[in-house]
Amino acid sequence: MPLHDVIENISSGKSLKCETRSRDDATNEPGILKLSAITQGVFKPHENKAFPAGELAAENEVRRGDLLMCRKNTKDLVGTAALVDNAPSNLYLPDLIYRIDYDKSLVTGEYLLGAFRTKEIRRDLEAAASGSSASMANISRARLLNIVVHIPPIEDQLAYATRLRSISAYERRTAQRLEALDALVDSLQSRAFRGEL
């Protein structure tokens, strides 16, 4: 079905003058997301710019569970998306990132994110993007809403989300074990070169 049948609202923040540095998390300084916060398909809250002065609209604050999408980027990155799993307070949307509110009785965020990553939908997103500059393509709300996505029954989507979370947890545990193993190898090499073995 076309996305306009499952998406309830698409919003974005504003174009604001920010500093080049990241926000100070310790003082909970306001920050505005950079495009790099979502272009790898994983939400990276540390990819932001400090916004030291001025009022920010509460409705533009990033929330846990938000589905975010780059509305303007290079042709191969326009339409990339991420699901917010951890949202520090006082972090806000820029004008170049969409927040996609969807009908939770029809679709899950995990499923939509997965659909946006498929080669078929990526092709459709790239084709729907326009712009005079080849380096910065833009996808409009109207064109995004007309993209057709296969939507299975919600029960199947929930099962998909459960399996995905299980796989992600396994990946995190594996990554932690690899880091511990790397540290052990480094320690052994260091001791060996010092003649302590």
Side-chain angles (χ1 to χ4, degrees):
M1 60 180 68
L3 283 173
H4 63 69
D5 286 351
V6 296
I7 290 178
E8 297 175 334
N9 187 44
I10 299 175
S11 58
S12 60
K14 298 187 181 214
S15 177
L16 299 165
K17 187 171 173 66
C18 299
E19 295 193 10
T20 54
R21 65 177 176 84
S22 294
R23 77 180 199 141
D24 183 358
D25 290 333
T27 62
N28 201 30
E29 180 180 31
I32 309 296
L33 287 182
K34 297 192 298 189
L35 288 176
S36 54
I38 61 172
T39 51
Q40 299 301 315
V42 176
F43 181 61
K44 299 176 182 176
H46 60 278
E47 291 289 331
N48 64 69
K49 293 181 183 177
F51 183 73
E55 287 294 316
L56 293 166
E59 66 265 17
N60 291 334
E61 188 169 10
V62 178
R63 305 173 304 235
R64 188 174 192 270
D66 279 348
L67 179 59
L68 306 179
M69 176 183 277
C70 289
R71 76 159 181 86
K72 189 171 187 178
N73 210 323
T74 58
K75 199 78 166 169
D76 60 328
L77 292 176
V78 67
T80 54
L83 201 57
V84 176
D85 54 356
N86 57 339
S89 63
N90 232 5
L91 195 57
Y92 296 84
L93 293 174
D95 63 327
L96 300 181
I97 295 179
Y98 285 144
R99 173 189 285 132
I100 299 173
D101 296 320
Y102 48 90
D103 184 339
K104 293 175 178 58
S105 69
L106 295 175
V107 71
T108 66
E110 291 90 350
Y111 181 79
L112 265 183
L113 177 62
F116 290 152
R117 289 180 172 169
T118 65
K119 64 182 174 184
E120 295 81 12
I121 302 300
R122 285 293 318 142
R123 184 188 61 235
D124 292 346
L125 287 166
E126 289 177 25
S130 62
S132 57
S133 170
S135 64
M136 286 300 273
N138 182 54
I139 186 163
S140 70
R141 287 175 176 85
R143 288 185 175 203
L144 176 60
L145 290 172
N146 283 323
I147 291 176
V148 176
V149 177
H150 174 73
I151 305 291
I154 193 71
E155 298 80 19
D156 293 346
Q157 294 180 56
L158 292 169
Y160 167 81
T162 299
R163 289 183 184 169
L164 190 63
R165 283 191 290 272
S166 175
I167 291 168
S168 295
Y170 179 76
E171 286 177 337
R172 282 192 300 275
R173 287 192 305 272
T174 302
Q176 290 169 347
R177 289 178 183 148
L178 285 173
E179 286 177 12
L181 188 58
D182 284 345
L184 180 61
V185 168
D186 289 346
S187 173
L188 283 172
Q189 285 179 332
S190 178
R191 290 174 59 200
F193 286 116
R194 288 194 312 257
E196 296 174 0
L197 290 181

